[in-house]
Amino acid sequence: MTGRRLTSLLAYVTTAAAAASLLTGCGVLPGATGGSREPVTVMTWAPDQTRATNMPGMPAMAQAYARWVNANGGLDGHELRVLTCNDQNTNAGAAACARRAVHEGAVAVVGSYSQFGRSFMAPLESAGIPYIGGYGISEDEFTSSLSYPVNGGQASLLAGHGMQLAESCRKVSLVRPDNIAGDRLLNLLNSGLRKASHHGAVDIPAREDSAEYTEPAARARTKAGSDEGCVTAVLGERTQTFFDSFRRLPEPSAKKDADATDVRISSVLGSVGQPLIDRSGGAHSPFEGAYVTGWYPSADSKAWEPMREVIKEHAFVDNRVDPTDAGVQTTWIAYTVLKQVVESLDSDKISSLQISHALNQGAKIDTGGLTPPLRWRYDDLLGARDFPRIVNHDVTFQVVREGQLVAQKPGFVDVGETVLAAP
Protein backbone atom coordinates (compact mmCIF):
# COMPACT_ATOMS: atom_id res chain seq x y z
CA MET A 1 0.00 0.00 0.00
CA THR A 2 1.44 3.40 -0.91
CA GLY A 3 1.98 6.10 1.74
CA ARG A 4 -0.69 8.33 0.12
CA ARG A 5 -3.32 5.55 0.26
CA LEU A 6 -2.41 4.70 3.86
CA THR A 7 -2.80 8.35 4.86
CA SER A 8 -6.22 8.56 3.17
CA LEU A 9 -7.40 5.37 4.87
CA LEU A 10 -6.31 6.63 8.30
CA ALA A 11 -8.09 9.93 7.67
CA TYR A 12 -11.34 8.10 6.72
CA VAL A 13 -11.19 5.90 9.84
CA THR A 14 -10.54 8.91 12.07
CA THR A 15 -13.49 10.85 10.57
CA ALA A 16 -15.86 7.89 10.91
CA ALA A 17 -14.83 7.33 14.52
CA ALA A 18 -15.41 11.01 15.34
CA ALA A 19 -18.87 10.92 13.75
CA ALA A 20 -19.73 7.76 15.67
CA SER A 21 -18.70 9.37 18.97
CA LEU A 22 -20.98 12.34 18.27
CA LEU A 23 -23.93 10.04 17.67
CA THR A 24 -23.40 7.92 20.79
CA GLY A 25 -26.02 8.50 23.49
CA CYS A 26 -28.11 11.23 21.86
CA GLY A 27 -29.07 9.60 18.56
CA VAL A 28 -28.71 12.87 16.63
CA LEU A 29 -25.95 15.22 15.67
CA PRO A 30 -25.95 18.43 17.76
CA GLY A 31 -28.02 21.13 16.08
CA ALA A 32 -29.43 18.70 13.52
CA THR A 33 -32.32 16.27 13.25
CA GLY A 34 -32.32 12.68 12.13
CA GLY A 35 -30.57 9.77 13.75
CA SER A 36 -32.67 6.76 14.65
CA ARG A 37 -35.82 8.80 15.28
CA GLU A 38 -38.37 9.06 12.51
CA PRO A 39 -39.64 12.45 11.25
CA VAL A 40 -42.92 13.81 12.61
CA THR A 41 -45.25 15.03 9.85
CA VAL A 42 -48.10 17.43 10.65
CA MET A 43 -50.31 19.79 8.67
CA THR A 44 -51.41 23.39 9.18
CA TRP A 45 -54.18 24.85 7.01
CA ALA A 46 -55.90 28.21 6.63
CA PRO A 47 -57.71 30.20 3.93
CA ASP A 48 -55.66 32.56 1.77
CA GLN A 49 -56.55 34.95 -1.05
CA THR A 50 -60.30 34.47 -0.64
CA ARG A 51 -63.09 37.05 -0.50
CA ALA A 52 -63.80 36.36 3.18
CA THR A 53 -61.45 35.89 6.16
CA ASN A 54 -57.84 34.99 5.29
CA MET A 55 -55.20 33.69 7.69
CA PRO A 56 -51.94 33.29 5.74
CA GLY A 57 -49.89 33.94 8.85
CA MET A 58 -50.87 30.64 10.43
CA PRO A 59 -49.20 28.28 7.89
CA ALA A 60 -46.29 30.73 7.66
CA MET A 61 -45.83 30.63 11.44
CA ALA A 62 -45.92 26.82 11.33
CA GLN A 63 -43.13 26.79 8.74
CA ALA A 64 -41.04 29.23 10.78
CA TYR A 65 -41.58 27.08 13.87
CA ALA A 66 -40.35 24.02 11.97
CA ARG A 67 -37.22 25.86 10.81
CA TRP A 68 -36.50 26.90 14.38
CA VAL A 69 -37.12 23.55 16.03
CA ASN A 70 -35.20 21.61 13.38
CA ALA A 71 -32.22 23.95 13.75
CA ASN A 72 -32.19 23.03 17.43
CA GLY A 73 -32.37 19.24 17.29
CA GLY A 74 -35.99 18.75 16.28
CA LEU A 75 -38.90 17.63 18.43
CA ASP A 76 -37.10 15.43 20.92
CA GLY A 77 -34.78 14.35 18.10
CA HIS A 78 -37.51 14.06 15.44
CA GLU A 79 -37.37 16.22 12.35
CA LEU A 80 -40.58 18.25 12.17
CA ARG A 81 -42.14 18.26 8.72
CA VAL A 82 -44.95 20.77 8.20
CA LEU A 83 -47.41 20.40 5.34
CA THR A 84 -49.55 23.46 4.54
CA CYS A 85 -52.91 23.69 2.79
CA ASN A 86 -55.31 26.44 1.66
CA ASP A 87 -58.88 25.49 2.55
CA GLN A 88 -60.19 28.26 0.20
CA ASN A 89 -62.94 29.10 2.72
CA THR A 90 -65.11 26.34 1.26
CA ASN A 91 -66.50 23.02 2.43
CA ALA A 92 -64.77 21.25 -0.44
CA GLY A 93 -61.46 22.93 0.28
CA ALA A 94 -61.55 22.00 3.97
CA ALA A 95 -62.36 18.38 3.16
CA ALA A 96 -59.57 18.26 0.56
CA CYS A 97 -57.02 19.53 3.08
CA ALA A 98 -58.10 16.89 5.60
CA ARG A 99 -57.89 14.10 3.02
CA ARG A 100 -54.42 15.26 2.04
CA ALA A 101 -53.34 15.19 5.69
CA VAL A 102 -54.49 11.56 5.87
CA HIS A 103 -52.89 10.62 2.55
CA GLU A 104 -49.51 12.16 3.42
CA GLY A 105 -49.29 10.54 6.84
CA ALA A 106 -49.77 13.54 9.13
CA VAL A 107 -49.94 12.53 12.79
CA ALA A 108 -51.78 15.75 13.72
CA VAL A 109 -53.29 18.89 12.28
CA VAL A 110 -51.88 21.79 14.29
CA GLY A 111 -52.69 25.49 14.66
CA SER A 112 -55.17 25.76 11.78
CA TYR A 113 -58.17 27.86 10.74
CA SER A 114 -61.32 26.70 8.98
CA GLN A 115 -65.00 27.50 9.35
CA PHE A 116 -66.01 24.11 7.98
CA GLY A 117 -65.56 21.74 10.89
CA ARG A 118 -68.05 19.17 9.64
CA SER A 119 -66.09 18.86 6.40
CA PHE A 120 -62.62 18.43 7.89
CA MET A 121 -63.30 16.60 11.16
CA ALA A 122 -64.91 13.51 9.56
CA PRO A 123 -61.81 12.53 7.52
CA LEU A 124 -59.55 13.23 10.50
CA GLU A 125 -61.71 11.19 12.86
CA SER A 126 -61.80 8.26 10.43
CA ALA A 127 -58.00 8.23 10.37
CA GLY A 128 -57.60 8.94 14.10
CA ILE A 129 -55.72 12.20 13.51
CA PRO A 130 -55.95 14.75 16.36
CA TYR A 131 -56.79 18.40 15.65
CA ILE A 132 -54.63 20.47 18.01
CA GLY A 133 -55.16 24.17 18.60
CA GLY A 134 -57.62 25.13 15.92
CA TYR A 135 -58.50 28.81 15.76
CA GLY A 136 -61.84 28.13 17.42
CA ILE A 137 -64.15 29.33 14.64
CA SER A 138 -66.12 26.10 14.07
CA GLU A 139 -68.36 24.30 16.54
CA ASP A 140 -66.89 20.89 15.68
CA GLU A 141 -63.62 21.96 17.29
CA PHE A 142 -65.47 21.94 20.60
CA THR A 143 -67.43 18.71 20.13
CA SER A 144 -65.09 16.20 18.47
CA SER A 145 -63.23 13.88 20.85
CA LEU A 146 -60.16 14.27 18.63
CA SER A 147 -60.09 18.07 18.93
CA TYR A 148 -57.85 19.72 21.51
CA PRO A 149 -58.61 23.48 21.51
CA VAL A 150 -56.19 25.92 23.15
CA ASN A 151 -58.71 28.76 23.49
CA GLY A 152 -62.42 29.12 24.15
CA GLY A 153 -63.27 29.98 20.56
CA GLN A 154 -65.90 32.48 19.52
CA ALA A 155 -68.06 31.33 22.43
CA SER A 156 -65.67 32.65 25.06
CA LEU A 157 -64.88 35.80 23.09
CA LEU A 158 -68.52 36.78 22.62
CA ALA A 159 -69.56 35.90 26.17
CA GLY A 160 -66.60 37.83 27.50
CA HIS A 161 -67.26 40.75 25.18
CA GLY A 162 -70.77 41.04 26.52
CA MET A 163 -69.35 41.28 30.04
CA GLN A 164 -66.86 43.91 28.88
CA LEU A 165 -69.51 46.03 27.14
CA ALA A 166 -72.05 45.76 29.95
CA GLU A 167 -69.88 48.04 32.07
CA SER A 168 -70.01 50.96 29.60
CA CYS A 169 -72.73 50.53 26.96
CA ARG A 170 -76.40 51.35 27.50
CA LYS A 171 -77.42 49.93 24.10
CA VAL A 172 -75.50 47.51 21.88
CA SER A 173 -75.85 46.64 18.19
CA LEU A 174 -74.22 43.41 17.02
CA VAL A 175 -73.26 43.16 13.34
CA ARG A 176 -72.34 39.56 12.57
CA PRO A 177 -72.10 37.19 9.58
CA ASP A 178 -75.37 36.00 8.10
CA ASN A 179 -74.31 32.34 8.16
CA ILE A 180 -74.41 29.29 10.42
CA ALA A 181 -71.31 30.32 12.36
CA GLY A 182 -72.75 33.79 12.92
CA ASP A 183 -76.20 32.64 14.03
CA ARG A 184 -75.04 31.74 17.55
CA LEU A 185 -73.14 34.95 18.24
CA LEU A 186 -76.12 36.96 19.51
CA ASN A 187 -76.99 34.49 22.29
CA LEU A 188 -73.36 34.31 23.38
CA LEU A 189 -72.97 38.10 23.49
CA ASN A 190 -76.26 38.41 25.36
CA SER A 191 -75.18 35.85 27.94
CA GLY A 192 -72.38 38.21 28.90
CA LEU A 193 -74.52 41.34 28.74
CA ARG A 194 -77.31 39.85 30.83
CA LYS A 195 -74.88 38.62 33.46
CA ALA A 196 -74.64 42.33 34.33
CA SER A 197 -78.44 42.82 34.05
CA HIS A 198 -78.19 44.40 30.58
CA HIS A 199 -81.28 43.98 28.37
CA GLY A 200 -79.30 42.54 25.45
CA ALA A 201 -78.09 43.50 21.97
CA VAL A 202 -79.88 44.15 18.68
CA ASP A 203 -79.02 41.53 16.05
CA ILE A 204 -77.94 42.81 12.62
CA PRO A 205 -76.92 40.00 10.22
CA ALA A 206 -74.74 41.02 7.26
CA ARG A 207 -72.99 39.29 4.37
CA GLU A 208 -69.49 38.23 5.40
CA ASP A 209 -68.03 38.89 1.94
CA SER A 210 -69.77 42.18 1.15
CA ALA A 211 -67.79 44.98 -0.53
CA GLU A 212 -69.52 47.66 1.58
CA TYR A 213 -71.82 47.84 4.60
CA THR A 214 -73.59 51.18 4.44
CA GLU A 215 -77.07 49.80 5.17
CA PRO A 216 -76.17 47.58 8.16
CA ALA A 217 -73.85 50.31 9.46
CA ALA A 218 -76.69 52.85 9.45
CA ARG A 219 -79.03 50.40 11.18
CA ALA A 220 -76.40 49.58 13.78
CA ARG A 221 -75.80 53.23 14.60
CA THR A 222 -79.50 54.01 14.82
CA LYS A 223 -80.24 51.04 17.09
CA ALA A 224 -77.29 51.81 19.38
CA GLY A 225 -78.48 55.40 19.80
CA SER A 226 -76.51 58.38 21.01
CA ASP A 227 -76.68 57.80 24.76
CA GLU A 228 -73.72 55.53 25.64
CA GLY A 229 -74.41 53.35 22.62
CA CYS A 230 -71.95 50.76 21.27
CA VAL A 231 -71.67 49.14 17.86
CA THR A 232 -70.00 45.73 17.84
CA ALA A 233 -68.91 44.16 14.56
CA VAL A 234 -67.69 40.56 14.38
CA LEU A 235 -67.14 39.97 10.66
CA GLY A 236 -63.63 38.55 10.56
CA GLU A 237 -61.50 40.20 7.89
CA ARG A 238 -64.52 42.19 6.64
CA THR A 239 -64.76 44.04 9.95
CA GLN A 240 -62.44 46.70 8.51
CA THR A 241 -64.77 47.13 5.53
CA PHE A 242 -67.72 47.51 7.88
CA PHE A 243 -66.09 50.25 9.95
CA ASP A 244 -64.97 52.03 6.77
CA SER A 245 -68.66 52.18 5.82
CA PHE A 246 -69.58 53.15 9.37
CA ARG A 247 -67.32 56.19 9.54
CA ARG A 248 -68.52 57.40 6.11
CA LEU A 249 -72.14 57.60 7.25
CA PRO A 250 -73.58 61.12 6.86
CA GLU A 251 -73.91 63.20 9.98
CA PRO A 252 -77.37 62.91 11.58
CA SER A 253 -79.49 65.93 10.70
CA ALA A 254 -81.76 65.90 13.74
CA LYS A 255 -80.43 67.95 16.63
CA LYS A 256 -81.40 65.28 19.13
CA ASP A 257 -79.11 62.88 17.31
CA ALA A 258 -76.18 65.28 17.10
CA ASP A 259 -73.95 63.01 19.19
CA ALA A 260 -74.84 59.81 17.36
CA THR A 261 -71.51 59.66 15.54
CA ASP A 262 -69.79 59.41 18.92
CA VAL A 263 -71.17 55.93 19.48
CA ARG A 264 -68.39 53.66 20.73
CA ILE A 265 -67.19 50.79 18.58
CA SER A 266 -65.98 47.38 19.70
CA SER A 267 -65.11 43.91 18.50
CA VAL A 268 -63.24 40.74 19.36
CA LEU A 269 -59.72 39.65 18.54
CA GLY A 270 -59.60 38.10 15.10
CA SER A 271 -61.99 40.69 13.73
CA VAL A 272 -59.98 43.62 15.10
CA GLY A 273 -56.32 43.27 15.99
CA GLN A 274 -53.12 45.29 16.05
CA PRO A 275 -52.32 44.74 12.34
CA LEU A 276 -55.69 46.24 11.36
CA ILE A 277 -55.24 49.16 13.76
CA ASP A 278 -51.80 49.86 12.29
CA ARG A 279 -53.11 49.74 8.70
CA SER A 280 -55.97 52.05 9.60
CA GLY A 281 -53.82 54.87 10.95
CA GLY A 282 -52.64 53.78 14.39
CA ALA A 283 -53.53 56.45 16.94
CA HIS A 284 -55.56 58.24 14.24
CA SER A 285 -57.50 55.13 13.19
CA PRO A 286 -61.26 54.82 13.70
CA PHE A 287 -60.51 52.14 16.29
CA GLU A 288 -59.00 54.53 18.81
CA GLY A 289 -60.84 53.93 22.08
CA ALA A 290 -62.45 50.70 20.86
CA TYR A 291 -63.09 47.83 23.27
CA VAL A 292 -61.68 44.47 22.20
CA THR A 293 -61.94 41.06 23.88
CA GLY A 294 -59.12 38.59 23.26
CA TRP A 295 -58.04 35.10 24.30
CA TYR A 296 -54.46 35.88 25.15
CA PRO A 297 -52.39 38.61 26.83
CA SER A 298 -51.92 41.82 24.85
CA ALA A 299 -49.13 41.76 22.29
CA ASP A 300 -46.79 43.82 24.49
CA SER A 301 -46.73 41.08 27.16
CA LYS A 302 -43.31 39.57 27.94
CA ALA A 303 -44.92 36.14 27.63
CA TRP A 304 -44.71 36.53 23.83
CA GLU A 305 -40.93 37.08 23.79
CA PRO A 306 -40.01 33.46 22.87
CA MET A 307 -42.33 33.64 19.86
CA ARG A 308 -40.95 37.01 18.82
CA GLU A 309 -37.42 35.65 18.92
CA VAL A 310 -38.34 32.73 16.67
CA ILE A 311 -40.08 35.06 14.21
CA LYS A 312 -37.10 37.42 14.22
CA GLU A 313 -34.68 34.58 13.54
CA HIS A 314 -36.67 32.43 11.13
CA ALA A 315 -39.41 34.60 9.57
CA PHE A 316 -38.04 38.13 9.73
CA VAL A 317 -38.58 38.85 6.03
CA ASP A 318 -41.97 37.09 5.83
CA ASN A 319 -44.58 39.82 6.26
CA ARG A 320 -47.32 37.20 6.67
CA VAL A 321 -46.01 36.40 10.15
CA ASP A 322 -47.14 39.23 12.42
CA PRO A 323 -46.59 38.52 16.15
CA THR A 324 -49.62 40.64 17.04
CA ASP A 325 -51.99 38.55 14.87
CA ALA A 326 -54.33 36.24 16.80
CA GLY A 327 -53.95 33.50 14.19
CA VAL A 328 -50.15 33.54 14.42
CA GLN A 329 -50.40 33.51 18.21
CA THR A 330 -52.78 30.54 18.17
CA THR A 331 -50.45 28.59 15.89
CA TRP A 332 -47.51 29.27 18.20
CA ILE A 333 -49.45 27.95 21.20
CA ALA A 334 -50.66 24.89 19.23
CA TYR A 335 -47.11 23.95 18.28
CA THR A 336 -46.08 24.46 21.90
CA VAL A 337 -48.61 21.75 22.75
CA LEU A 338 -47.25 19.45 20.03
CA LYS A 339 -43.66 19.93 21.19
CA GLN A 340 -44.36 19.13 24.82
CA VAL A 341 -46.49 16.10 23.97
CA VAL A 342 -43.84 14.62 21.66
CA GLU A 343 -41.17 15.20 24.29
CA SER A 344 -43.31 13.46 26.90
CA LEU A 345 -43.59 10.35 24.69
CA ASP A 346 -39.81 9.83 24.35
CA SER A 347 -40.35 7.45 21.44
CA ASP A 348 -38.39 6.78 18.25
CA LYS A 349 -41.62 6.77 16.24
CA ILE A 350 -44.58 9.09 16.87
CA SER A 351 -48.10 8.11 15.81
CA SER A 352 -51.40 9.95 15.89
CA LEU A 353 -52.69 7.40 18.40
CA GLN A 354 -49.80 8.09 20.78
CA ILE A 355 -50.46 11.83 20.64
CA SER A 356 -54.20 11.61 21.25
CA HIS A 357 -53.70 9.02 23.99
CA ALA A 358 -51.20 11.25 25.81
CA LEU A 359 -53.57 14.24 25.59
CA ASN A 360 -56.54 12.19 26.78
CA GLN A 361 -54.56 10.79 29.70
CA GLY A 362 -53.82 14.25 31.06
CA ALA A 363 -50.63 15.59 29.50
CA LYS A 364 -50.35 19.04 31.06
CA ILE A 365 -49.09 21.84 28.83
CA ASP A 366 -47.32 24.95 30.14
CA THR A 367 -47.64 27.81 27.63
CA GLY A 368 -45.52 30.24 29.61
CA GLY A 369 -48.44 32.38 30.78
CA LEU A 370 -50.13 32.76 27.39
CA THR A 371 -52.99 30.59 28.64
CA PRO A 372 -53.73 28.79 31.88
CA PRO A 373 -52.10 25.31 31.98
CA LEU A 374 -53.84 23.22 29.32
CA ARG A 375 -55.12 19.70 29.87
CA TRP A 376 -57.89 17.73 28.16
CA ARG A 377 -59.00 15.08 30.64
CA TYR A 378 -62.73 14.61 31.07
CA ASP A 379 -62.63 16.53 34.35
CA ASP A 380 -60.95 19.49 32.64
CA LEU A 381 -63.69 20.00 30.03
CA LEU A 382 -66.14 22.86 30.57
CA GLY A 383 -69.05 20.70 29.40
CA ALA A 384 -71.12 23.52 27.88
CA ARG A 385 -74.00 22.12 25.85
CA ASP A 386 -72.72 23.22 22.44
CA PHE A 387 -69.03 23.57 23.36
CA PRO A 388 -68.16 20.62 25.62
CA ARG A 389 -64.45 20.50 24.64
CA ILE A 390 -63.58 23.98 25.95
CA VAL A 391 -60.80 23.71 28.55
CA ASN A 392 -59.54 27.31 28.40
CA HIS A 393 -62.40 29.68 29.18
CA ASP A 394 -60.26 32.68 30.09
CA VAL A 395 -60.31 35.91 28.07
CA THR A 396 -58.63 39.29 28.30
CA PHE A 397 -60.26 42.74 28.17
CA GLN A 398 -58.33 45.16 25.99
CA VAL A 399 -58.77 48.69 24.67
CA VAL A 400 -57.10 50.71 21.89
CA ARG A 401 -55.05 53.56 23.37
CA GLU A 402 -52.77 55.73 21.25
CA GLY A 403 -53.03 53.20 18.47
CA GLN A 404 -52.02 50.20 20.60
CA LEU A 405 -54.08 47.33 21.96
CA VAL A 406 -53.37 47.31 25.67
CA ALA A 407 -54.92 45.64 28.68
CA GLN A 408 -58.07 47.36 29.91
CA LYS A 409 -57.74 45.37 33.11
CA PRO A 410 -54.85 43.12 34.17
CA GLY A 411 -54.88 39.35 33.91
CA PHE A 412 -57.48 36.92 32.65
CA VAL A 413 -61.26 36.92 33.11
CA ASP A 414 -62.91 33.51 33.51
CA VAL A 415 -66.10 33.38 31.41
CA GLY A 416 -66.84 29.68 31.89
CA GLU A 417 -70.05 30.22 33.87
CA THR A 418 -71.25 32.76 31.31
CA VAL A 419 -70.72 30.34 28.42
CA LEU A 420 -72.56 27.64 30.37
CA ALA A 421 -75.50 30.02 30.85
CA ALA A 422 -75.84 30.81 27.13
CA PRO A 423 -79.10 29.42 25.65
Side-chain angles (χ1 to χ4, degrees):
M1 180 177 292
T2 65
R4 179 177 295 179
R5 288 181 177 176
L6 179 60
T7 300
S8 298
L9 178 60
L10 288 172
Y12 173 83
V13 171
T14 301
T15 302
S21 67
L22 284 172
L23 287 167
T24 301
C26 63
V28 61
L29 288 169
T33 60
S36 62
R37 299 208 148 176
E38 295 187 7
V40 171
T41 300
V42 299
M43 177 177 278
T44 297
W45 61 52
D48 190 15
Q49 298 181 346
T50 73
R51 294 185 60 192
T53 298
N54 296 293
M55 289 285 181
M58 298 179 75
M61 180 72 247
Q63 292 170 323
Y65 191 97
R67 289 192 290 270
W68 167 67
V69 81
N70 288 336
N72 291 276
L75 295 178
D76 197 31
H78 300 269
E79 177 191 0
L80 175 60
R81 296 178 178 173
V82 173
L83 310 173
T84 63
C85 191
N86 182 356
D87 91 328
Q88 303 288 344
N89 257 328
T90 65
N91 276 299
C97 286
R99 289 194 299 269
R100 183 181 158 213
V102 175
H103 179 72
E104 299 200 28
V107 297
V109 174
V110 186
S112 297
Y113 180 107
S114 178
Q115 299 184 50
F116 304 101
R118 292 182 183 178
S119 297
F120 69 72
M121 279 309 309
L124 297 185
E125 288 172 341
S126 295
I129 298 175
Y131 188 73
I132 300 173
Y135 188 81
I137 194 69
S138 72
E139 291 183 18
D140 295 74
E141 296 173 54
F142 300 101
T143 58
S144 172
S145 61
L146 277 174
S147 178
Y148 303 89
V150 299
N151 59 49
Q154 292 288 95
S156 291
L157 286 183
L158 268 293
H161 199 53
M163 294 170 62
Q164 185 179 20
L165 295 182
E167 300 176 0
S168 305
C169 306
R170 183 169 174 268
K171 293 183 179 180
V172 177
S173 295
L174 171 65
V175 184
R176 51 83 174 179
D178 188 9
N179 58 27
I180 294 173
D183 288 344
R184 292 186 177 271
L185 301 187
L186 179 66
N187 285 340
L188 290 164
L189 183 72
N190 281 342
S191 69
L193 287 168
R194 288 169 179 159
K195 186 176 178 67
S197 300
H198 194 283
H199 61 272
V202 176
D203 186 29
I204 301 178
R207 284 181 55 191
E208 186 183 20
D209 61 352
S210 180
E212 62 87 28
Y213 290 93
T214 301
E215 190 275 333
R219 286 181 57 211
R221 188 177 70 177
T222 299
K223 295 296 184 180
S226 59
D227 183 11
E228 297 180 341
C230 292
V231 171
T232 298
V234 184
L235 293 165
E237 196 168 85
R238 291 291 170 166
T239 302
Q240 177 180 9
T241 306
F242 171 82
F243 281 120
D244 283 343
S245 297
F246 184 83
R247 66 178 175 174
R248 291 189 175 93
L249 291 175
E251 295 286 342
S253 57
K255 184 177 179 60
K256 66 178 181 179
D257 292 333
D259 296 329
T261 53
D262 294 330
V263 65
R264 195 146 192 173
I265 64 174
S266 72
S267 190
V268 298
L269 211 62
S271 288
V272 170
Q274 193 61 53
L276 173 55
I277 296 165
D278 294 340
R279 292 196 306 269
S280 303
H284 303 290
S285 81
F287 299 104
E288 185 67 19
Y291 295 126
V292 179
T293 304
W295 293 303
Y296 315 124
S298 56
D300 60 352
S301 170
K302 291 183 179 179
W304 292 113
E305 280 305 311
M307 181 189 72
R308 290 181 178 276
E309 286 298 315
V310 170
I311 293 173
K312 181 179 179 181
E313 185 176 351
H314 294 279
F316 184 72
V317 297
D318 191 340
N319 59 15
R320 296 173 299 169
V321 186
D322 188 327
T324 66
D325 178 74
V328 169
Q329 294 172 348
T330 299
T331 300
W332 170 263
I333 294 171
Y335 274 89
T336 299
V337 174
L338 177 71
K339 184 174 186 291
Q340 292 184 29
V341 170
V342 171
E343 289 172 347
S344 74
L345 294 173
D346 188 24
S347 175
D348 288 343
K349 182 177 181 179
I350 302 298
S351 68
S352 56
L353 179 61
Q354 285 175 295
I355 292 174
S356 57
H357 181 73
L359 293 171
N360 292 337
Q361 292 302 307
K364 191 174 183 180
I365 308 301
D366 179 4
T367 63
L370 298 175
T371 68
L374 299 174
R375 193 162 52 180
W376 293 270
R377 300 173 307 174
Y378 179 80
D379 291 343
D380 300 307
L381 305 180
L382 180 63
R385 184 185 64 183
D386 295 320
F387 310 97
R389 296 287 293 178
I390 290 179
V391 297
N392 173 13
H393 31 88
D394 285 358
V395 299
T396 56
F397 291 169
Q398 301 176 35
V399 64
V400 182
R401 292 185 181 137
E402 298 182 0
Q404 297 295 313
L405 264 173
V406 297
Q408 183 189 15
K409 60 192 303 184
F412 292 103
V413 178
D414 188 340
V415 299
E417 290 185 5
T418 309
V419 173
L420 285 169

